[in-house]
Amino acid sequence: MRVKILGSAAGGGFPQWNCACSNCRALRAGTFRGKARTQAQVAISVDSKSWFLLGASPDLRAQIEATPELHPREGIRQSPIAGAVLANADVDHVLGLLLLRELQPLRVYATDSIRKIVTEDNSMFAMLQRVPGQVAWTDFTPRIPFRLLDTSGEDSGLLCRALPLGTHYPAYVSPQRQGELKSGEASLGLIVESKIVESKIVESKIVQSETGESGKRLAYMPAVPQIDDALLQEFESADVLLFDGTFWSDDELIRIQGSGRNIPTARQMGHVPVSSAEGSLSRLAGLRRPRKIYIHINNTNPMLNEAGPEYAQVRKAGWEIAEDGWQFDL
Ligand SMILES: [Zn+2]
């Protein structure tokens, strides 16, 4: 499986349009030791012909242009992007779907709740349903594996499974609407597995069979409200873990913007912070198998500063901090 990180920042990107925190200010001034980042976006493929997006970032147009593998290949209208898998309905995770509205056939995999929030509560997304066969919404159920289909509708060799990570909803979903939806369907992590397919020749025909042996496994967890033992077990079975690096501390935004303005904590926004005793750095310290990479990093997070102690601490603990344009094979 080839994994491309097209964007690595949380919502707003880095720098963020209205932010003058020390990170954003220094980056604009050209004095920051660290990189600018677009809003989180991952693309995966097994054959480098059909690609799948994990989420759909508001920066998707520029991210596609910066990635030759995702450019059209033949004819006047074509795209190697076969589909998108949605882990939540956050604006910075679904807005990019509207950029894919040019009557290009596309499959979007989502739970019933995420599909309803996006398509029934936001009429602009009807742009994806103007003609039959434009966007095919494909429902999945948390915990039940589903296959990703390539651009010709065949099994791509990628198997996906969503883990429910709590009951967090985007701020635009009203409490009443939340009450109408099935619980545990709107805040998910994604496990993507490449299957090992064996080809053998039987009576001069090529027969492909899945060996049953599991292939390589990617865990994509851009928004994790808390870490329990079952989740730790899932992570230990992954080869690469892309984990929520949104905030360094729970009160990060309050510290920067001042208290008394109803600024939420990291946990209230559905993100376990990196630091502190119950933070991800400490809770995931025992993981042995996966390569550990922080992604979805907010512009205020001090670990973006490669000259700072937080960056050094994270790197020393064996973590990497994702940058736009990274690619790896697993
Ligand atoms: Zn900032």
Side-chain angles (χ1 to χ4, degrees):
M1 175 180 1
R2 177 156 290 179
V3 179
K4 293 184 83 73
I5 296 178
L6 312 184
S8 51
F14 178 45
Q16 177 177 305
W17 72 282
N18 67 337
C19 190
C21 74
S22 57
N23 281 353
C24 289
R25 246 191 350 245
L27 188 71
R28 289 192 187 102
T31 57
F32 190 72
R33 221 177 106 197
K35 305 220 167 47
R37 285 165 165 86
T38 61
Q39 293 165 97
Q41 180 66 58
V42 171
I44 53 174
S45 177
V46 271
D47 58 7
S48 291
K49 288 186 192 130
S50 289
W51 287 85
F52 299 90
L53 306 174
L54 304 185
S57 156
D59 292 320
L60 195 51
R61 197 204 71 86
Q63 291 165 338
I64 290 171
E65 285 312 310
T67 312
E69 294 93 325
L70 300 182
H71 295 172
R73 286 186 197 134
E74 64 241 0
I76 297 298
R77 288 284 191 273
Q78 193 271 344
S79 172
I81 298 172
V85 188
L86 304 183
N88 58 60
D90 287 350
V91 171
D92 66 309
H93 193 76
V94 301
L95 201 59
L97 290 176
L98 288 175
L99 309 176
L100 305 176
R101 68 186 182 277
E102 324 290 352
L103 302 181
Q104 180 68 39
L106 188 75
R107 201 173 291 272
V108 178
Y109 303 83
T111 58
D112 185 56
S113 294
I114 293 175
R115 176 178 49 76
K116 281 181 173 156
I117 294 169
V118 172
T119 64
E120 293 179 8
D121 300 355
N122 295 277
S123 60
M124 208 184 278
F125 282 83
M127 286 301 282
L128 301 174
Q129 314 278 187
R130 279 183 294 161
V131 297
Q134 190 182 350
V135 165
W137 287 86
T138 305
D139 277 14
F140 65 78
T141 305
R143 300 187 199 284
I144 297 177
F146 55 97
R147 292 163 198 282
L148 301 181
L149 303 182
D150 67 17
T151 43
S152 46
E154 304 287 322
D155 184 357
S156 68
L158 288 171
L159 201 60
C160 190
R161 181 164 51 91
L163 305 177
L165 297 179
T167 54
H168 187 81
Y169 287 91
Y172 68 81
V173 182
S174 71
Q176 188 200 333
R177 181 57 156 155
Q178 292 180 26
E180 294 164 6
L181 298 167
K182 261 180 261 168
S183 177
E185 277 202 346
S187 176
L188 308 165
L190 302 174
I191 305 276
V192 187
E193 199 172 324
S194 57
K195 289 174 301 172
I196 295 174
V197 178
E198 252 182 11
S199 298
K200 51 186 173 187
I201 296 173
V202 180
E203 291 169 0
S204 64
K205 280 187 193 142
I206 296 172
V207 176
Q208 292 197 322
S209 63
E210 290 166 30
T211 60
E213 199 180 327
S214 98
K216 296 291 184 177
R217 200 176 271 191
L218 171 76
Y220 182 53
M221 306 279 148
V224 180
Q226 71 268 318
I227 302 162
D228 59 22
D229 289 347
L231 203 53
L232 283 175
Q233 257 180 12
E234 288 281 359
F235 294 167
E236 193 60 285
S237 74
D239 296 281
V240 173
L241 170 62
L242 294 174
F243 192 83
D244 185 341
T246 313
F247 297 112
W248 178 259
S249 49
D250 199 36
D251 62 350
E252 186 164 316
L253 293 183
I254 299 165
R255 250 192 272 182
I256 286 172
Q257 299 181 65
S259 54
R261 294 182 51 204
N262 284 329
I263 310 282
T265 64
R267 283 197 171 82
Q268 284 167 349
M269 293 174 79
H271 299 287
V272 63
V274 173
S275 71
S276 86
E278 287 303 304
S280 56
L281 208 52
S282 153
R283 291 286 283 131
L284 303 182
L287 291 183
R288 289 286 163 264
R289 178 167 167 191
R291 176 178 170 188
K292 297 183 285 188
I293 304 173
Y294 279 121
I295 195 167
H296 197 272
I297 305 145
N298 200 55
N299 60 81
T300 52
N301 191 324
M303 73 182 183
L304 286 170
N305 178 4
E306 293 170 22
E310 294 86 357
Y311 176 84
Q313 187 185 341
V314 166
R315 299 289 287 125
K316 199 169 163 226
W319 283 81
E320 296 165 83
I321 301 174
E323 295 175 7
D324 294 14
W326 277 13
Q327 170 184 307
F328 45 86
D329 294 320
L330 71 162

